[in-house]
Amino acid sequence: MSEQSRRFPHIELQFTAQGSAAFTRFPREKNPITQAKLGDRGGHGSTLKSSASGIVSSWQENLEERRQEQKPELPEAVPLILQIDPIAFNAEELRKFGIEVIAELENGYIIGASADLQLTELQKKIEQFINAESGGGKVPEIWDILDGTRRPDYILSPELQEQWGEIQDNQTYLADVSISCVGSKSQLRNYPKREDYKSDENHIEAIRRWINDRQITYQEWDELKSQREDSFELFIADPLYQGELLDIIDGKITRFSELPDSFSCRIKIAGKGLKDLVLNFPYIFDISLPDDIHEDALVETQLEDREIVFTLEAPDLNAPKVCIIDSGIQEQHPLLRAAISTNDSRSWIPNETNLTADLVSNGGHGTRVAGAVLYPNTVPQSGQQQAICWLQNARVLNSNCYLPQTLYPPILIADIVEFYQGKTATRIFNHSITARTPSRTQYMSAWAAEIDHLIWQHDILFVVAAGNLPIDQRIGNSRLSVKDHIGNGNTYPDYLLENSCRVPNPAQSFQALTVGSISLNTFRELSRYSIAPANYPSSFSCSGLGIWDSIKPEVVEYGGDLVVDGGTPPNFTTPSEVCPELVRSTLNGGPLVSRDRVGTSFTAPKVTHIAACLAADLPNESCLLYRALIIQSARLPEWVQTGNFDPFSAVRLLGYGIPDLDRALGGSSNRITLIAKGDRSIAARQAHVYQVSLPNELLSPGEDLDIRVEITLSYKAQPRRTRRARRKYLSTWLDWECSKKGQSPESFLAKVLRQYDAPAEAEEGEQIFEWFLGKQSNWGKARNVSRGAGTIQKDWAIVKSYDLRESFCIAVVGHEGWNNDPNADVPYALVVSFETVDTNIPIYTAIANIQVPIQVESEVSVLVS
């Protein structure tokens, strides 16, 4: 146990009350577009009817042409694109129109498919709408129906769209393809409500039937997925297209990466086959070119060697295990070998499965990453120290620091987790590998979604690098280099806020912890100077926001900066003064340690070090709690808090700030952290209330203390790629709120349940708390961002001690995502801290001593109407 956690251990947060919101009905504003279409039955209905008839006719002609040209057989479904009212119309209701939702897009657009090739049910409801008959009431919320020829606009990645007009029929292409497999029954039927049945016996029998139907539905989804996988494989393997699946693990093809609602794969196929897939295969929702995955950085040629007489001792046998997914490790390195779990080393590189060494020139890459896990700040020059964790070597990058294109990242990551989870129950994975272009914002990528899915399945933590901008060579049209930005007259740090600097794949992962970079020092020597001052975002570090306005990166660490001269064009270097100290590979000569590399690859392992320390201190707690404590310990640099820098921009560049090991592990005399210990889970429509008792001496009107209150919620849920935005991507989503002055736990719980699912504008502001972020965008100091967009939700405020109350309560609230199973719960961790801004005023003991276990009353159910 660390000294910090021994002297000021985290205190258990007391679970006080729980309840359920039985029913909610809040009026919603009508969309003016929908209102206009409702008022124009004849015009709107005729337009939709004409579109539907045209789609049916064109599809029949297409099928006949295919038969004559002997093209491979398609699944029996007509593809189409719809635009619906994104607020009023639940896309899952399209099944009543005979349409399967393949994927949801932005602005109400839906990729759909119908097994009814005549679109009979759709056309029937359109007629009912035109004639003002029962059954057509939802038709005005269907704004438009587009034919399948528009599909490339909606399913191709931007890079592939740029090349679409130049695709050659007989040229071979690599592509990543994603296919929906939920079918028309995308959700379970609604759970039986007691009020719908005359007796308890009838209600119990209805529940029994519902449970049986649920199991049948799950089986149907599995069968449908298998059918569509076989159908897709037969289609691409047709001799006309000569396609094949690519990903190979251990010499065998691992066919698909599978999620609950979709599967994805990497294929090699002729251009004419690729065109046919895009235009006609009805269940595809995403096709992209393979990511270019390559780690690089500038290298300073003059390296200073120094004598090191330090000895690393092996960690405890039961110490945490950290898997390094990278370019391999120099396992006999004197500063690493005592911590290497050599029996667990493995290479996934095709034809090099027996090579686990870091073969990257100029000091390696994975070796540096591994060293930063053990030595996050500097490497001791003398003495001895026990390693905090065991390092496991998963080699996936080749000697050129490239990920071979035969390795499909979603399948690769799943195989690595399966291997290490099954063999050694490894829980922490360092992933300093990213694509080189900005992540997309329409869907969660297959790679990032696979990480989210693995985190859902296992109690694991992925620490992911935020990615680097290229130094002097732009990548396509989407990623400008630092040199481009400076040459274009873009000022630092403003250029980091441009879309071309957005975090790359898979750093947008909703459930991983993403780490950016800040500058270590301010450097100036004659005409040479560092672009970023000390503690400012590194000039190469990619920024947020992430997908669906989530905060990415969540934290930053010291990854160095670039030094530029006054030349035209400027030259970039990385002298030792701006570089972090890193262990380096000596397989090709050179010193054991150097300061010659910069990048987010080396900030991620510094945060992994904190996670390993937490796992060593709290071995029986969840990785969700480790993630929460890391975020809770983070703080924005002083220049953000005291200067005039825009808070929203600061969050985009720095997330929640720089994590602190001491704050993560324990409190101090002027700081106390309370944690919800053990396994905690919550379902949709439920609320859990926690209470912190505060001593009277702290609440006295005579006490004028500034108290920093911090709250962090960390949770995970099951993802679905075919649905967009947090509320549809996740099976269940959570948020939190705290009580107001004078509210008891009981009255607070009742208020939370009454306002369950109320419109965002129902209650703006949170009285005494001037939160930095706020529950909704534009409620906090930082505008255009909220704490609730992701699965890690932190906020903080400075309050006067006399404005607090004896019973400070926090509620965690569950909301329905894509899963309407009322028994589907999700795990979470909750952390609350109080800290006096004046470090000379102690509060730890006073607050710790007053916390007493609370008897939780039976669950409260509140009917809301």
Side-chain angles (χ1 to χ4, degrees):
M1 178 176 287
S2 67
E3 177 66 15
Q4 199 74 15
S5 59
R6 185 185 65 80
R7 291 186 61 202
F8 302 101
H10 298 321
I11 303 300
E12 183 168 5
L13 188 59
Q14 298 301 320
F15 183 34
T16 306
Q18 59 184 326
S20 298
F23 179 70
T24 306
R25 182 189 296 137
F26 285 99
R28 304 284 181 179
E29 289 188 13
K30 299 288 186 180
N31 191 298
I33 298 176
T34 298
Q35 289 289 86
K37 295 184 182 301
L38 177 61
D40 184 21
R41 289 182 182 272
H44 181 55
S46 297
T47 299
L48 293 184
K49 187 176 179 180
S50 175
S51 297
S53 298
I55 290 171
V56 170
S57 176
S58 296
W59 188 248
Q60 294 298 330
E61 293 174 4
N62 180 31
L63 292 179
E64 181 58 34
E65 288 178 7
R66 297 181 67 84
R67 280 190 285 269
Q68 293 177 6
E69 297 172 5
Q70 297 185 326
K71 290 183 177 180
E73 187 175 339
L74 288 167
E76 290 192 6
V78 54
L80 64 163
I81 307 289
L82 304 96
Q83 187 181 20
I84 62 172
D85 184 328
I87 303 299
F89 195 100
N90 181 355
E92 310 306 334
E93 294 294 306
L94 283 170
R95 69 181 185 276
K96 297 178 181 178
F97 292 74
I99 297 170
E100 174 185 345
V101 176
I102 304 303
E104 287 186 76
L105 309 178
E106 297 173 333
N107 301 319
Y109 283 99
I110 302 291
I111 299 174
S114 177
D116 174 10
L117 301 187
Q118 300 299 319
L119 299 180
T120 307
E121 193 62 31
L122 173 63
Q123 299 206 61
K124 173 185 173 182
K125 289 188 179 297
I126 294 173
E127 283 289 347
Q128 290 171 335
F129 168 68
I130 292 173
N131 298 323
E133 298 172 353
S134 175
K138 300 294 286 185
V139 170
E141 295 170 8
I142 298 178
W143 293 351
D144 201 1
I145 305 173
L146 312 176
D147 65 70
T149 60
R150 298 279 301 276
R151 279 164 58 87
D153 297 338
Y154 296 98
I155 70 173
L156 295 183
S157 68
E159 292 79 12
L160 191 50
Q161 281 192 25
E162 289 178 9
Q163 301 181 27
W164 186 241
E166 302 170 4
I167 298 292
Q168 302 299 310
D169 283 353
N170 297 316
Q171 185 174 328
T172 299
Y173 295 86
L174 297 184
D176 294 343
V177 183
S178 298
I179 296 174
S180 172
C181 56
V182 174
S184 59
K185 191 186 291 186
S186 57
Q187 286 186 309
L188 303 172
R189 65 182 178 87
N190 290 332
Y191 189 79
K193 298 177 182 178
R194 174 62 185 87
E195 58 266 27
D196 294 336
Y197 297 88
K198 293 182 179 180
S199 67
D200 290 342
E201 291 77 10
N202 290 343
H203 184 221
I204 292 171
E205 175 60 23
I207 292 174
R208 187 194 63 77
R209 291 195 302 269
W210 183 90
I211 293 173
N212 185 58
D213 289 347
R214 177 180 62 181
Q215 188 59 38
I216 292 173
T217 299
Y218 288 155
Q219 292 172 358
E220 290 174 347
W221 285 343
D222 289 341
E223 291 169 1
L224 183 63
K225 181 181 295 183
S226 179
Q227 291 170 9
R228 291 189 179 176
E229 288 176 350
D230 292 342
S231 174
F232 175 77
E233 200 165 359
L234 283 172
F235 185 93
I236 66 170
D238 188 273
L240 188 64
Y241 298 149
Q242 300 178 332
E244 61 178 308
L245 298 171
L246 269 193
D247 198 273
I248 300 175
I249 301 287
D250 280 349
K252 67 176 185 292
I253 294 179
T254 312
R255 299 169 68 214
F256 303 102
S257 169
E258 297 182 343
L259 294 176
D261 66 329
S262 61
F263 61 90
S264 58
C265 57
R266 178 163 292 172
I267 64 171
K268 180 169 66 174
I269 194 169
K272 55 189 173 185
L274 181 60
K275 292 177 183 177
D276 199 0
L277 279 175
V278 170
L279 293 172
N280 297 308
F281 200 88
Y283 307 125
I284 289 176
F285 66 91
D286 186 27
I287 300 185
S288 61
L289 298 174
D291 284 317
D292 179 14
I293 302 168
H294 173 220
E295 297 300 318
D296 59 3
L298 291 178
V299 180
E300 192 77 3
T301 55
Q302 297 296 323
L303 298 179
E304 178 185 352
D305 201 355
R306 59 185 173 88
E307 183 180 7
I308 295 179
V309 292
F310 167 77
T311 301
L312 180 69
E313 297 178 345
D316 293 334
L317 288 176
N318 61 347
K321 302 171 184 66
V322 174
C323 177
I324 309 296
I325 305 172
D326 216 280
S327 65
I329 301 173
Q330 183 187 352
E331 296 186 2
Q332 292 305 308
H333 195 290
L335 294 172
L336 301 178
R337 62 186 172 213
I340 301 293
S341 181
T342 54
N343 292 333
D344 302 327
S345 300
R346 183 175 168 187
S347 170
W348 273 260
I349 305 292
N351 304 317
E352 294 184 8
T353 55
N354 61 328
L355 296 176
T356 58
D358 185 357
L359 303 178
V360 175
S361 60
N362 296 315
H365 190 270
T367 300
R368 298 174 188 266
V369 170
V373 173
L374 298 180
Y375 312 105
N377 300 314
T378 59
V379 179
Q381 296 190 51
S382 60
Q384 57 189 33
Q385 175 182 307
Q386 185 180 35
I388 190 63
C389 62
W390 292 100
L391 299 177
Q392 296 173 319
N393 180 7
R395 180 174 180 248
V396 299
L397 301 180
N398 62 22
S399 59
N400 294 317
C401 225
Y402 274 93
L403 182 75
Q405 288 198 323
T406 53
L407 293 177
Y408 183 44
I411 293 178
L412 173 66
I413 294 301
D415 198 62
I416 289 172
V417 170
E418 180 183 356
F419 177 78
Y420 286 105
Q421 263 278 302
K423 184 177 182 182
T424 60
T426 303
R427 296 203 295 160
I428 302 174
F429 294 82
N430 190 94
H431 191 288
S432 290
I433 302 170
T434 67
R436 308 185 75 195
T437 54
S439 58
R440 296 165 63 191
T441 58
Q442 180 162 274
Y443 305 111
M444 189 67 75
S445 72
W447 188 1
E450 184 63 49
I451 290 175
D452 287 343
H453 184 56
L454 291 167
I455 290 172
W456 163 253
Q457 289 182 309
H458 308 283
D459 180 25
I460 59 176
L461 174 65
F462 263 80
V463 183
V464 178
N468 309 319
L469 301 181
I471 307 305
D472 53 10
Q473 296 290 330
R474 69 187 298 162
I475 302 171
N477 294 323
S478 61
R479 180 74 91 193
L480 300 183
S481 68
V482 177
K483 183 177 181 179
D484 289 325
H485 284 294
I486 293 177
N488 292 340
N490 299 332
T491 58
Y492 165 89
D494 293 348
Y495 69 74
L496 292 174
L497 299 171
E498 296 188 6
N499 287 337
S500 66
C501 297
R502 187 171 56 248
V503 293
N505 197 14
Q508 77 276 29
S509 160
F510 242 43
Q511 302 186 152
L513 181 54
T514 304
V515 187
S517 177
I518 57 173
S519 178
L520 193 64
N521 295 307
T522 301
F523 176 86
R524 181 169 292 276
E525 183 183 85
L526 299 177
S527 63
R528 302 167 70 212
Y529 60 93
S530 58
I531 300 174
N535 295 313
Y536 276 69
S538 301
S539 55
F540 54 78
S541 184
C542 293
S543 61
L545 296 172
I547 191 170
W548 308 319
D549 293 334
S550 58
I551 294 176
K552 290 287 179 176
E554 287 98 343
V555 292
V556 290
E557 261 288 1
Y558 292 99
D561 195 43
L562 302 174
V563 167
V564 66
D565 62 15
T568 305
N571 298 301
F572 298 91
T573 56
T574 54
S576 60
E577 290 87 348
V578 298
C579 296
E581 185 172 78
L582 300 168
V583 173
R584 68 184 302 281
S585 170
T586 60
L587 292 179
N588 295 311
L592 297 173
V593 176
S594 67
R595 293 178 179 269
D596 64 332
R597 286 285 182 101
V598 298
T600 59
S601 288
F602 314 120
T603 62
K606 292 172 182 278
V607 175
T608 299
H609 172 83
I610 300 177
C613 291
L614 286 166
D617 256 22
L618 303 167
N620 297 320
E621 297 294 343
S622 71
C623 287
L624 288 175
L625 181 60
Y626 305 159
R627 183 172 69 145
L629 287 169
I630 290 170
I631 298 298
Q632 186 80 340
S633 76
R635 197 157 290 180
L636 291 170
E638 191 67 22
W639 59 266
V640 176
Q641 303 180 53
T642 59
N644 295 320
F645 197 79
D646 173 39
F648 173 54
S649 298
V651 170
R652 290 183 61 189
L653 297 170
L654 304 169
Y656 297 106
I658 310 164
D660 180 88
L661 178 61
D662 288 341
R663 284 196 294 265
L665 291 175
S668 60
S669 63
N670 72 307
R671 178 183 174 88
I672 185 169
T673 295
L674 302 99
I675 61 176
K677 291 186 176 181
D679 296 330
R680 305 282 180 170
S681 294
I682 192 170
R685 312 193 73 79
Q686 290 183 348
H688 290 175
V689 175
Y690 293 83
Q691 178 178 333
V692 181
S693 299
L694 298 175
N696 289 329
E697 58 265 31
L698 192 65
L699 310 176
S700 170
E703 293 292 342
D704 186 16
L705 305 180
D706 284 331
I707 306 291
R708 181 184 177 98
V709 180
E710 298 174 311
I711 302 174
T712 298
L713 171 67
S714 169
Y715 73 96
K716 63 179 180 179
Q718 189 176 23
R720 267 190 177 182
R721 274 195 75 210
T722 59
R723 302 303 186 258
R724 70 172 310 276
R726 169 194 55 161
R727 300 188 180 198
K728 295 292 185 70
Y729 176 69
L730 300 174
S731 55
T732 304
W733 56 277
L734 309 184
D735 60 14
W736 64 263
E737 57 183 286
C738 67
S739 59
K740 296 174 174 56
K741 198 168 185 176
Q743 281 185 321
S744 67
E746 294 75 21
S747 63
F748 174 49
L749 174 62
K751 171 254 183 185
V752 168
L753 295 176
R754 279 197 306 272
Q755 294 185 338
Y756 178 86
D757 253 359
E761 65 274 9
E763 184 183 1
E764 294 190 16
E766 299 187 50
Q767 292 188 359
I768 67 169
F769 292 99
E770 189 179 356
W771 295 112
F772 188 83
L773 295 171
K775 187 176 179 180
Q776 301 289 337
S777 294
N778 300 321
W779 281 18
K781 292 182 179 179
R783 299 298 184 175
N784 304 310
V785 65
S786 74
R787 66 179 181 239
T791 61
I792 188 81
Q793 299 176 11
K794 178 184 179 179
D795 217 337
W796 61 98
I798 306 294
V799 299
K800 292 295 184 181
S801 57
Y802 53 73
D803 276 332
L804 295 169
R805 49 272 180 198
E806 293 180 7
S807 297
F808 177 91
C809 296
I810 308 98
V812 177
V813 185
H815 302 267
E816 186 177 300
W818 61 260
N819 193 343
N820 62 337
D821 182 348
N823 300 311
D825 55 10
V826 297
Y828 69 89
L830 182 64
V831 179
V832 182
S833 296
F834 296 86
E835 178 180 338
T836 54
V837 175
D838 185 340
T839 58
N840 295 317
I841 301 175
I843 60 169
Y844 180 93
T845 302
I847 295 179
N849 288 343
I850 201 173
Q851 305 309 310
V852 293
I854 299 170
Q855 181 67 40
V856 180
E857 297 184 7
S858 58
E859 181 168 316
V860 175
S861 182
V862 174
L863 181 67
V864 184
S865 61

